[in-house]
Amino acid sequence: MGVPSLQAAFGQVRSLELRLVGVSPCAEAAADRLDIALEDRHFPLEVVLSARAWHDSDVIERWVTVRRRTDADGTPVTVTRLDSGSWFLPDATGYRYSGVFGAWAEEFQLQRAPLPIGELTFTSRQGITGHQANPWIMIDPGDTTEEHGPVWGIALAWSGSWRLTATHRPEGGAAVSAGFGHEGVRWTLAPGQEITTPPVLGLYTGGGFGAASRAWHDHARRHILPTPQEERPVLYNSWEATTFDVTEAGQLALAKIAASLGVELFVVDDGWFGTRDDDTRSLGDWWPHRERFPDGLRGLFDGIRELGMKAGLWVEPEMVNADSELYQAHPEWILRMDHRRNDEKRSQLVLNFARPEVRDWALDWLDRLVTELDLDYLKWDMNRPFTQAGWPEAGPAQDLLWIEHTRNVYRVMRTLRERHPRLRIESCAGGGGRVDFGIMRYTDEVWPSDNTDPRDRQTVHHGFSQIYPISTMSAWVPDSPNPNTGRATPLRYRFHVAMSGVLGIGGDLTTWSQEDLDQASRFIRAYKSVRRVIQQGRLHRLGGIPGQERSAVQYVLGDDVVVLIYNPYGNAKRGPRWLRLAGLDPDALYEVVDAGGPGKGPGLLEPGSRYHGSVLMSVGLRSAAWEPIGADYRSDMIVLRKLG
Ligand code: GLA
């Protein structure tokens, strides 16, 4: 009676009767695996439920394969729902769920509320992960806190449309079923054809939401990310500074300043190709803008390298503008349906990446671009959802495009990485529209939001970090007032928020004062000295609501501890003034390496002073940023080291 995890029809027979065929446990190098084989009692459909329990992770990975046998039975076999797994929780009253909702420029907003009796569905029908929801849920008994209590977490590793439904029965039992696809999509299987789902990951912890996040981060580092150990370079991205006005002189002027500050990677964003003077044209025409770059892009990229930086470029391979040479040559390449409109969004149409010739075309020009410009980095964008998602030539198999589009994006990224081992890739979809454990297998960083306002970003980072690791979370220092919100914030606060992730700069450096530039190079130097701890350490979220109250994020890696401390409202009296740290060795002594801000007072830190871990975790420390009276937007970075 519940939400079906597997739904199939055999001609007019719309139900499954599965029987167990066999159970095969098998020991893999780093995990134990179990395959449970089932088959329909009458029709030629086989189902294998697979589960993998890693030796070094609390995560269990599950997936499903369905296969139509080759028996000569002419009945059409259609699958309308194929989830990766269903997870069942014990009967209890008072369950609560956590998840994130959002929109463009407002992604990863954490919501935590009672799990209603009934069915609660999060979904994307957009062909991408989406801004409105993200494919994970956490369930707790109702009183779990950041540091204490049980949490069950479930995350789908998929970057196309998806659906996750939590069912809560009146008797108290809860279940979560998650998988790709959405309602109305159907896959008709030819004899011998099989479909394998993406993995769904599940984990349990007794240590609160913080421990759940740390377990997700650990798992991602061990089993998902392609370059988990690599320190991420400090990046500059040109988008907010120049938008479409990309010229060699303009980019090099920014690059010169960026390099002098210590930036290590310079990324040229949208506006370099076709006749791309605004967002109405040229997607698909991936050659250098002939008026702006008559001699090609080599000069610009050589210039960036001569300044000692790596070089990156923005692309949007799955898209085409009607106003482009590509569309004139291949109007049939887009997602489309007979007798239906081709709706545009941001003046663009979606290329059907499921078509092998589109996939091969994209791989070919991307490969050439990376080779010719010797690129270190691609920012892979995807700026609109699917509509009229048809593939007339594919007939009854056309809905496979919802799967194959995503898998071909993965394939192109994977092949590019194989051919160019130095290449790093960032996933972007109009900000944070394609952030998930599927795309993270092929990308090193993701862009969580086009909103770079530091206060809004604190909220975004808070939701993002619930399951995704900090080493993937790109964050820029923008101009002030912020181009998205108009809000003015001090450079220090902007840096400290961006430093809580992978630091980048997005402001128009040609307009920054000498004093700001001097400060910027000091912050970049400070970030480099602790970035390993921030990017790879264990994360503890401390204090009140980020962006609204006194809050902090703490990172621990080996003996090193970094704490970033925020206070957006200077005159706020609410919330503790003492910041209690977490995750330290209670018996060890910690020395203050960097005390953060200026200021003197009882308990305020000074470099060289020493505290027991137990004191820092029970009494806490005081930072100038958290003192009750002061300006808005105060922040500190405190660095501690455990003494041997
Ligand atoms: C999207 C991205 C931005 C920028 C623009 C370029 O909105 O999220 O970061 O790259 O596209 O058009």
Side-chain angles (χ1 to χ4, degrees):
M1 303 300 156
V3 57
S5 305
L6 171 57
Q7 200 173 21
F10 307 90
Q12 294 312 309
V13 179
R14 279 142 202 248
S15 85
L16 278 163
E17 279 188 19
L18 294 175
R19 71 170 165 227
L20 186 66
V21 177
V23 176
S24 6
C26 97
E28 298 181 339
D32 291 318
R33 172 163 164 192
L34 186 69
D35 285 344
I36 301 174
L38 309 158
E39 67 178 8
D40 191 84
R41 282 181 198 280
H42 180 81
F43 293 104
L45 186 74
E46 296 169 349
V47 179
V48 180
L49 311 177
S50 301
R52 175 179 287 133
W54 300 91
H55 297 156
D56 62 354
S57 166
D58 286 339
V59 167
I60 293 175
E61 180 181 346
R62 295 176 53 191
W63 68 99
V64 178
T65 302
V66 294
R67 185 170 165 274
R68 177 173 175 175
R69 282 198 310 266
T70 47
D71 316 9
D73 179 328
T75 317
V77 177
T78 306
V79 175
T80 47
R81 189 69 215 161
L82 178 57
D83 278 355
S84 305
S86 290
W87 306 79
F88 295 87
L89 274 61
D91 283 7
T93 50
Y95 275 131
R96 201 165 54 157
Y97 74 92
S98 309
V100 290
F101 69 94
W104 176 77
E106 201 187 7
E107 296 86 338
F108 298 104
Q109 307 294 306
L110 182 65
Q111 56 179 339
R112 185 161 288 156
L115 184 65
I117 305 287
E119 292 173 5
L120 175 70
T121 296
F122 298 108
T123 188
S124 161
R125 305 179 182 92
Q126 304 184 11
I128 50 169
T129 328
H131 298 76
Q132 284 74 15
N134 199 266
W136 63 264
I137 192 168
M138 291 201 226
I139 296 182
D140 75 276
D143 55 0
T144 291
T145 64
E146 189 69 14
E147 296 298 332
H148 300 282
V151 179
W152 290 267
I154 288 144
L156 183 72
W158 182 243
S159 316
S161 290
W162 56 275
R163 191 188 72 183
L164 181 154
T165 304
T167 305
H168 195 192
R169 298 174 61 85
E171 302 90 334
V176 175
S177 190
F180 58 11
H182 54 267
E183 65 283 342
V185 172
R186 51 183 56 231
W187 300 298
T188 303
L189 300 184
Q193 192 179 356
E194 66 176 40
I195 303 181
T196 299
T197 70
V200 63
L201 311 175
L203 85 81
Y204 169 81
T205 175
F209 296 114
S213 300
R214 290 185 287 279
W216 283 120
H217 300 173
D218 284 347
H219 181 79
R221 277 192 282 263
R222 288 182 187 142
H223 301 294
I224 296 177
L225 307 182
T227 55
Q229 299 305 326
E230 212 168 87
E231 286 186 23
R232 307 304 192 228
V234 176
L235 143 174
Y236 181 86
N237 179 295
S238 67
W239 174 244
E240 288 193 343
T242 55
T243 59
F244 296 99
D245 190 13
V246 173
T247 62
E248 185 165 325
Q251 297 297 303
L252 283 178
L254 288 165
K256 261 188 209 114
I257 310 173
S260 75
L261 302 180
V263 168
E264 298 157 309
L265 163 67
F266 190 90
V267 182
V268 178
D269 211 281
D270 199 350
W272 60 267
F273 54 93
T275 52
R276 184 83 166 166
D277 299 330
D278 55 41
D279 65 8
T280 63
R281 67 192 88 164
S282 292
L283 290 171
D285 296 347
W286 298 106
W287 48 79
H289 193 298
R290 287 179 186 128
E291 275 163 38
R292 294 175 179 182
F293 297 98
D295 303 320
L297 286 161
R298 194 71 223 190
L300 171 56
F301 281 81
D302 285 347
I304 293 168
R305 284 221 175 68
E306 277 159 24
L307 289 163
M309 293 184 289
K310 295 180 173 178
L313 196 57
W314 178 95
V315 291
E316 198 178 358
E318 299 148 82
M319 293 294 155
V320 66
N321 290 115
D323 184 358
S324 69
E325 294 185 24
L326 181 73
Y327 186 70
Q328 299 315 313
H330 293 290
E332 76 286 4
W333 277 10
I334 62 165
L335 293 179
R336 70 201 150 84
M337 291 174 177
D338 292 341
H339 317 297
R340 293 289 175 250
R341 297 185 310 255
N342 295 325
D343 282 336
E344 296 185 4
K345 197 162 169 28
R346 209 196 189 199
S347 309
Q348 59 198 63
L349 298 156
V350 185
L351 290 174
N352 181 355
F353 239 61
R355 293 176 79 117
E357 68 272 39
V358 175
R359 175 201 62 202
D360 294 347
W361 161 85
L363 177 60
D364 182 60
W365 70 259
L366 282 161
D367 187 21
R368 255 185 299 119
L369 193 69
V370 174
T371 307
E372 280 165 16
L373 296 175
D374 200 14
L375 293 177
D376 301 287
Y377 194 88
L378 277 180
K379 175 176 171 184
W380 182 307
D381 209 340
M382 198 295 186
N383 272 308
R384 60 152 289 178
F386 292 11
T387 56
Q388 293 93 16
W391 182 0
E393 297 83 356
Q398 66 167 339
D399 275 355
L400 271 175
L401 74 87
W402 293 95
I403 301 176
E404 280 304 298
H405 183 109
T406 302
R407 291 228 160 110
N408 278 342
V409 168
Y410 291 162
R411 285 183 190 115
V412 171
M413 287 183 173
R414 187 173 58 218
T415 311
L416 284 173
R417 297 187 77 109
E418 283 163 7
R419 292 189 192 167
H420 305 278
R422 231 172 4 91
L423 181 71
R424 300 292 172 260
I425 303 178
E426 172 182 342
S427 169
C428 174
R434 191 151 60 189
V435 175
D436 56 78
F437 281 140
I439 206 76
M440 283 185 187
R441 283 189 189 282
Y442 309 101
T443 54
D444 308 274
E445 296 181 31
V446 295
W447 182 231
S449 179
D450 276 343
N451 187 343
T452 53
D453 180 297
R455 206 179 92 197
D456 291 352
R457 261 307 176 109
Q458 284 186 266
T459 315
V460 168
H461 291 180
H462 186 67
F464 184 100
S465 75
Q466 298 295 318
I467 80 165
Y468 299 123
I470 299 302
S471 67
T472 65
M473 189 175 83
S474 179
W476 306 341
V477 178
D479 287 333
S480 175
N482 187 271
N484 306 282
T485 62
R487 192 181 286 140
T489 47
L491 189 69
R492 181 183 175 84
Y493 203 84
R494 281 178 273 148
F495 260 98
H496 281 153
V497 171
M499 285 160 77
S500 71
V502 176
L503 176 66
I505 312 282
D508 182 356
L509 294 174
T510 61
T511 65
W512 287 20
S513 68
Q514 193 53 49
E515 195 194 329
D516 280 359
L517 293 173
D518 293 343
Q519 267 202 60
S521 43
R522 280 199 294 276
F523 282 118
I524 291 174
R525 212 174 317 125
Y527 180 75
K528 287 178 181 170
S529 73
V530 294
R531 73 173 138 190
R532 182 167 277 286
V533 185
I534 291 176
Q535 294 172 7
Q536 295 177 23
R538 314 208 78 210
L539 172 73
H540 296 267
R541 294 176 293 255
L542 308 172
I545 303 170
Q548 296 179 34
E549 301 172 343
R550 295 182 179 107
S551 74
V553 278
Q554 180 200 328
Y555 310 81
V556 184
L557 184 69
D559 294 340
D560 294 307
V561 182
V562 176
V563 198
L564 286 157
I565 306 176
Y566 308 101
N567 189 357
Y569 299 118
N571 198 21
K573 302 288 188 297
R574 270 169 295 171
R577 280 176 297 161
W578 291 77
L579 168 63
R580 285 203 297 273
L581 302 188
L584 304 180
D585 176 352
D587 300 324
L589 264 181
Y590 287 82
E591 183 169 285
V592 178
V593 179
D594 184 343
K600 286 219 172 300
L604 283 182
L605 297 180
E606 299 203 16
S609 48
R610 295 172 177 190
Y611 302 87
H612 269 102
S614 57
V615 172
L616 291 168
M617 291 194 291
S618 58
V619 180
L621 54 81
R622 280 178 69 180
S623 116
W626 273 22
E627 288 303 288
I629 306 283
D632 287 351
Y633 300 112
R634 277 173 294 147
S635 58
D636 276 334
M637 182 173 85
I638 289 173
V639 182
L640 302 150
R641 183 160 302 131
K642 181 167 131 181
L643 299 174

